DNA sequence: AACATGGTCAACCGCCTAAGC
DNA sequence: TGCTTAGGCGGTTGACCATGT
């Protein structure tokens, strides 16, 4: 159970706001500004909880709110953003000036979604995480130890929490589409995987995916497991770093990425946590400069909470990326038929009673700090501007740009896609 | 006219994160 | 480092309204 709702305090009003209440809140905020919601009701003479006041202000009273029908352009934007971001209403709202997340959410649920369903361009069963946060597909397939289940089941009911990462990682573990390396195959054999398919198909039993994936991640931690970014991506990352002005403190292992804005690409190096995209030790890629305090020269990307989690996050995000490209960008011209694959929740690792690592969901905000944005890429631009096609195989050569007005962005996107998919595919297929 | 049904949307609820201590 | 809590988020609810029977 969460905290006791503040609105449960005896005597506080609930339900629809009266014009008098609106006026009190409005005039108080006009006088004193926003914030301090906890004590605002008393000061403003309202018998409401602060949360209710904040919501009323944010969704209704704020003077800069645009009300009324959504324009076709706005609807198009919502559909595009939703195809990429899923139900991240607040993020979507940031791209629709003067619209609130609540309004957008309502509009989607009551109009757009139905419209797309009628057009056959949207299927609820393709979006299990969007309509029901606690759907029946289980994270416990990954969280193998019951001790750790409470955190994985933080939702309101007792049903196991679905996470996209669970699906993704299970896919990684269980997919027959991905050719698994001998290294993985031997891991699976040792850990009881195999899915009954025999050695030939190298299929991983989902129930073993947690231990398997952790083993995989551990394997990747070894120094030899380097994934080298190609020059094209280095260039993209280098460009991105130029726009970056922040300098994040670096004094620990979690400083995992650095890219110079030096126009000489040879000095650009990137390493992403244990996955080690890039090679810090390689002289031809330059040495990382984690001690630099100059934000214009370097950018650091926070790692996941643990190296192995970082590996798994990386795998999940790359699979999500590929799937997004494939399903979202190819499926339709109006974005309506896209099949959303979210990487909004990756995984963290924890320990069960025996000390074995198990997987559990971590917050979506990890995603927002993760990889692409922290590298300086805007995911929306990345996925919106570049129209990339791909086959089912994670093969560099199968990616091609099929149309876009933004030549340079497109090239950058394509290069990034190629490299990421290549890295991912190479590492798995070995 | 009365009731049933369905759509809309403001508001609530529970959970999460991050900041402050 | 761990605890507390304000603020924020997304899912859900229920009041209200329009339309159908």
């Amino acid at each position: 159970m969460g905290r006791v709702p503040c609105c449960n305090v005896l005597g506080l009003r609930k339900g629809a706001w009266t014009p008098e209440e609106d006026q009190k809140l409005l005039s108080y905020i006009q006088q004193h500004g926003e914030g301090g919601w906890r004590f605002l009701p008393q000061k403003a003479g309202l018998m409401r909880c602060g949360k209710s006041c904040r919501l009323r202000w944010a969704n209704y009273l704020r003077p800069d709110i645009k009300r009324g029908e959504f324009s076709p352009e706005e609807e198009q934007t919502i559909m595009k953003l939703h195809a990429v971001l899923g139900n991240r209403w607040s993020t979507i709202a940031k791209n629709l000036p003067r619209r609130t997340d609540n309004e957008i959410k309502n509009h989607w649920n009551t109009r757009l979604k139905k419209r797309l369903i009628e057009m056959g361009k949207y299927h609820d069963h393709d979006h299990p995480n969007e309509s029901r946060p606690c759907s029946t597909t289980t994270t416990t397939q990954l969280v193998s130890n019951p001790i750790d289940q409470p955190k994985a089941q933080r939702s309101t009911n007792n049903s196991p929490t679905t996470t996209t990462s669970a699906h993704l990682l299970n896919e990684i573990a269980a997919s027959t589409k991905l050719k698994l390396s001998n290294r993985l195959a031997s891991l699976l054999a040792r850990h009881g995987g195999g899915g009954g398919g025999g050695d030939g198909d190298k299929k991983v039993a989902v129930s073993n995916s947690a231990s398997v994936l952790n083993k995989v991640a551990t394997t990747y931690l070894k120094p030899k497991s380097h994934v080298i970014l190609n020059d094209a991506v280095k260039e993209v990352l280098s460009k991105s770093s130029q726009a970056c002005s922040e300098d994040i403190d670096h004094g620990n292992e979690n400083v995992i990425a650095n890219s110079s804005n030096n126009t000489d690409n040879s000095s650009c190096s990137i390493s992403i946590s244990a996955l080690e995209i890039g090679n810090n030790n390689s002289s031809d890629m330059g040495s990382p400069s984690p001690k630099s305090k100059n934000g214009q020269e370097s950018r650091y990307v926070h790692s996941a909470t643990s190296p192995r989690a970082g590996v798994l996050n990386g795998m999940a995000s790359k699979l999500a990326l590929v799937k997004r490209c494939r399903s979202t960008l190819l499926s339709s011209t109006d974005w309506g038929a896209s099949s959303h694959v979210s990487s909004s929740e990756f995984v963290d690792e924890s320990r069960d009673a025996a000390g074995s690592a198990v997987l559990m969901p971590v917050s979506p905000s990890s995603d927002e700090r993760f990889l692409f944005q922290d590298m300086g890429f805007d995911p929306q631009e990345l996925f919106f501007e570049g129209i990339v096609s791909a086959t089912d195989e994670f093969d560099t050569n199968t990616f091609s740009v099929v149309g876009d007005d933004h030549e340079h962005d497109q090239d950058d996107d394509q290069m990034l896609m190629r490299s990421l998919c290549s890295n991912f595919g190479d590492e798995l297929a070995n």
Side-chain angles (χ1 to χ4, degrees):
Chain A
M1 291 293 287
R3 285 188 298 157
V4 177
C6 56
C7 297
N8 281 0
V9 178
L10 203 64
L12 289 189
R13 273 178 51 79
K14 289 171 71 174
W17 280 64
T18 65
E20 290 75 25
E21 287 177 312
D22 281 348
Q23 191 51 50
K24 282 182 180 177
L25 179 58
L26 197 56
S27 54
Y28 181 88
I29 291 177
Q30 281 170 347
Q31 265 191 302
H32 301 94
E34 293 181 54
W37 298 107
R38 185 175 177 80
F39 301 106
L40 183 148
Q42 294 131 283
K43 292 177 182 174
L46 288 162
M47 297 298 288
R48 296 270 181 176
C49 71
K51 206 169 186 177
S52 181
C53 293
R54 185 182 62 80
L55 224 57
R56 182 63 178 175
W57 169 256
N59 288 337
Y60 196 84
L61 293 177
R62 241 173 49 202
D64 59 335
I65 289 177
K66 181 178 173 185
R67 310 195 69 81
E69 285 297 299
F70 281 72
S71 69
E73 290 75 25
E74 286 177 314
E75 291 187 334
Q76 196 73 4
T77 302
I78 293 171
M79 286 189 277
K80 286 179 182 178
L81 290 171
H82 188 271
V84 175
L85 299 169
N87 294 356
R88 291 173 161 185
W89 304 116
S90 64
T91 309
I92 293 173
K94 285 169 189 161
N95 291 274
L96 280 97
R98 302 170 62 202
R99 295 289 189 182
T100 69
D101 54 354
N102 208 35
E103 197 177 13
I104 292 167
K105 178 173 60 180
N106 283 333
H107 191 65
W108 168 263
N109 285 328
T110 59
R111 314 261 179 91
L112 298 181
K113 190 171 164 184
K114 288 177 184 173
R115 199 183 303 165
L116 292 174
I117 288 172
E118 283 170 9
M119 293 163 71
K121 293 181 175 181
Y122 185 93
H123 303 283
D124 263 342
H125 55 77
D126 290 338
H127 309 261
N129 296 330
E130 290 169 13
S131 56
R132 288 183 304 174
C134 310
S135 75
T136 54
T137 315
T138 66
T139 295
T140 53
Q141 288 173 331
L142 284 173
V143 182
S144 55
N145 193 309
I147 289 172
D148 295 281
Q149 286 186 14
K151 186 174 178 182
Q153 297 175 1
R154 282 187 285 204
S155 300
T156 52
N157 60 23
N158 289 326
S159 64
T161 304
T162 297
T163 65
T164 304
S165 60
H167 292 301
L168 291 172
L169 291 170
N170 274 324
E171 271 194 67
I172 292 170
S175 175
T176 54
K177 287 183 179 179
L178 295 174
K179 290 179 292 182
L180 300 182
S181 66
N182 291 333
R183 189 170 57 196
L184 293 189
S186 62
L187 277 172
L188 305 189
R190 282 204 298 275
H191 289 272
D199 290 340
D201 62 8
K202 296 176 180 176
K203 188 177 179 179
V204 186
V206 169
S207 58
N208 293 309
S209 56
S211 61
V212 167
L213 286 167
N214 275 307
K215 283 291 177 186
V216 171
T218 304
T219 304
Y220 281 128
L221 285 176
K222 294 173 184 173
K224 63 179 180 180
S225 300
H226 286 286
V227 182
I228 310 299
L229 286 180
N230 63 30
D231 291 337
V233 173
K234 279 189 286 181
E235 184 179 344
V236 174
L237 295 171
S238 179
K239 282 184 188 175
S240 297
S241 72
Q242 291 176 26
C244 173
S245 60
E246 56 182 282
D247 185 23
I248 302 168
D249 190 21
H250 50 72
N252 56 54
E253 295 177 353
N254 287 347
V255 176
I256 54 177
N258 164 53
S259 64
S260 166
N261 71 342
N262 192 323
T263 51
D264 175 9
N265 289 328
S266 66
S267 64
C268 169
S269 71
I270 295 286
S271 71
I272 298 176
S273 189
L275 192 57
E276 294 188 81
I277 295 176
N279 185 347
N280 287 347
N281 302 321
S282 170
S283 59
D284 66 346
M285 297 181 72
S287 58
S289 53
K291 300 297 181 188
S292 169
K293 281 289 184 181
N294 184 345
Q296 292 184 333
E297 289 186 1
S298 64
R299 176 171 179 78
Y300 303 109
V301 178
H302 293 294
S303 77
T305 51
S306 73
R308 285 194 290 183
V311 172
L312 296 171
N313 284 343
M315 292 164 73
S317 73
K318 286 171 184 58
L319 183 57
L321 173 65
V322 172
K323 294 188 74 169
R324 282 188 202 174
C325 294
R326 206 167 61 221
S327 61
T328 302
L329 298 171
L330 269 186
S331 56
S332 71
T333 54
D334 65 0
W335 301 82
S338 61
S339 170
H340 171 67
V341 178
S342 168
S343 59
S344 63
E345 292 185 8
F346 297 126
V347 293
D348 191 6
E349 67 170 22
S350 185
R351 302 279 167 181
D352 62 21
S356 301
V358 296
L359 304 179
M360 48 177 57
V362 295
S363 69
S365 67
S366 300
D367 172 37
E368 294 174 359
R369 291 197 304 274
F370 195 65
L371 211 54
F372 302 113
Q373 282 134 311
D374 280 353
M375 280 184 184
F377 291 105
D378 181 343
Q380 289 161 25
E381 286 182 14
L382 188 65
F383 295 120
F384 275 48
E385 301 298 333
I387 301 174
V388 183
S389 67
T391 70
D392 282 340
E393 297 297 325
F394 305 119
D395 181 345
T396 298
N397 298 322
T398 61
F399 277 77
S400 63
V401 174
V402 296
D404 189 16
D405 290 338
H406 308 276
E407 285 183 20
H408 300 296
D409 291 343
Q410 162 192 311
D411 290 340
D412 290 348
D413 292 348
Q414 188 186 16
M415 287 187 285
L416 179 68
M417 300 286 182
R418 278 183 174 172
S419 179
L420 289 175
C421 296
S422 174
N423 289 337
F424 177 50
D426 288 349
E427 280 298 290
L428 269 185
N430 198 24

